[in-house]
Amino acid sequence: MTLRYTLIAELLRGRRHELQPEDVGLARDDGRRVPGLRREEVAELAGINRDYYIRLEQAHGHLPSPQVVASLSRALRLDEDTTEYFQQLAQTSATRAISRRDGLPKGAFAILGLVEPHPAYITNGVHDVLVVNRACAQVANGFLDVGRNLLVEVFEHEAEAPSPGEWRETAIRLVDSLRFQAAPDEERFQELVATLHRRYPSFRTLWARQRARKLTFGTSLFYDVEHGWQRSTWQTLVVPDHPDSLLTVIHP
């Protein structure tokens, strides 16, 4: 059983448990014991065989076809980003690779210089910091050092965050983005998820939410070893021809 099958099973089970009969137009019958929808209800809503659906939830059988993915996404009311995540998991041909610094195009390094004096950095899909510009190195010493991982830094410094609510929003964005950028066949992805699961209870809670989101823009907390947590606005762009590489510009 590969991680790809496990992630699909977890997505289906997690979302099924969240949905209530009323959410999908079904009547709530007396004596219902399951926390959300029944497996047979999801199968019927999606128009697929019940036994086949059960095998998917058990991480058995074949990967679902694009038609089955579309039907289940509608039945489970998945949003656009989570549907795209589901599609990626179900297609081995669409496997994401994890970028490394030496694989970045020269233009990506040039852009980092062009956006000065704004701090900017490039990460890969698992939020390893690949490269930073000079402004970023000055204002985010430590947290955004090349080679560090943003998820590890955020969860490692949770207790020091000035606002638990803002820290949670920052952590959610990173966790949901990690899921969206999932590279289940890559050792680095597997290793990082296992490490975060083992070390941080908060990660386990947020990962169990089964949400997938693209990183676009927002305001988040950044941890600086000299100045502590800093609140900044940021914009993230995908490096052309390198969908696993994300260029983020910070507006302090």
Side-chain angles (χ1 to χ4, degrees), residues 56 62 64 89 104 107 121 144-145 165 211 215 236 241:
L56 288 177
H62 301 290
L89 288 180
L104 292 174
Y121 60 94
L144 288 170
D145 283 355
R211 297 291 192 274
L215 276 184
T236 292
D241 299 324

Side-chain angles (χ1 to χ4, degrees), residues 26-238:
L26 297 177
R28 178 178 293 274
D29 54 312
D30 295 334
R32 177 177 288 268
R33 297 179 180 179
V34 295
L37 297 179
R38 298 186 179 100
R39 292 187 180 93
E40 55 267 28
E41 290 173 334
V42 175
E44 183 176 351
L45 287 168
I48 63 176
N49 180 271
R50 171 184 176 275
D51 291 338
Y52 173 62
Y53 176 76
I54 290 175
R55 289 197 297 273
L56 288 177
E57 276 206 7
Q58 294 174 339
H60 296 317
H62 301 290
L63 290 173
S65 67
Q67 293 79 11
V68 170
V69 169
S71 296
L72 284 172
S73 296
R74 288 192 297 269
L76 294 170
R77 305 298 197 264
L78 300 184
D79 61 29
E80 183 178 348
D81 284 354
T82 308
T83 297
E84 184 173 340
Y85 160 68
F86 190 6
Q87 292 168 341
Q88 291 281 347
L89 288 180
Q91 300 177 48
T92 55
S93 61
T95 298
R96 296 182 187 271
I98 293 180
S99 298
R100 291 167 176 77
R101 179 188 173 94
D102 57 8
L104 292 174
K106 292 182 180 179
F109 292 88
I111 292 173
L112 287 178
L114 291 173
V115 299
E116 298 267 16
H118 294 299
Y121 60 94
I122 296 175
T123 54
N124 58 19
V126 295
H127 299 298
D128 292 327
V129 180
L130 302 182
V131 60
V132 303
N133 65 7
R134 285 175 295 181
C136 187
Q138 293 171 0
V139 304
N141 181 36
F143 182 83
L144 288 170
D145 283 355
V146 172
R148 290 183 182 264
N149 180 271
L150 299 189
L151 282 151
V152 171
E153 295 300 316
V154 164
F155 283 96
E156 187 67 28
H157 297 285
E158 176 183 0
E160 304 159 35
S163 167
E166 287 186 298
W167 177 90
R168 178 179 169 82
E169 289 180 6
T170 298
I172 283 175
R173 284 194 182 99
L174 289 174
V175 170
D176 292 357
S177 173
L178 176 66
R179 186 178 290 283
F180 181 81
Q181 297 284 348
D185 301 320
E186 289 274 358
E187 183 178 350
R188 173 59 181 147
F189 175 80
Q190 299 169 11
E191 171 193 75
L192 178 64
V193 171
T195 297
L196 294 168
H197 261 283
R198 185 175 65 253
R199 291 184 183 177
Y200 309 112
S202 296
F203 174 81
R204 294 195 293 271
T205 299
L206 297 182
W207 185 253
R209 295 166 49 258
Q210 299 297 326
R211 297 291 192 274
R213 293 285 185 278
K214 297 175 184 176
L215 276 184
T216 51
F217 61 90
T219 300
S220 297
L221 294 174
F222 290 83
Y223 186 80
D224 186 307
V225 293
E226 294 184 355
H227 304 101
W229 289 96
Q230 305 292 313
R231 186 179 297 103
S232 299
T233 300
W234 50 271
Q235 174 78 50
T236 292
L237 305 171
V238 176

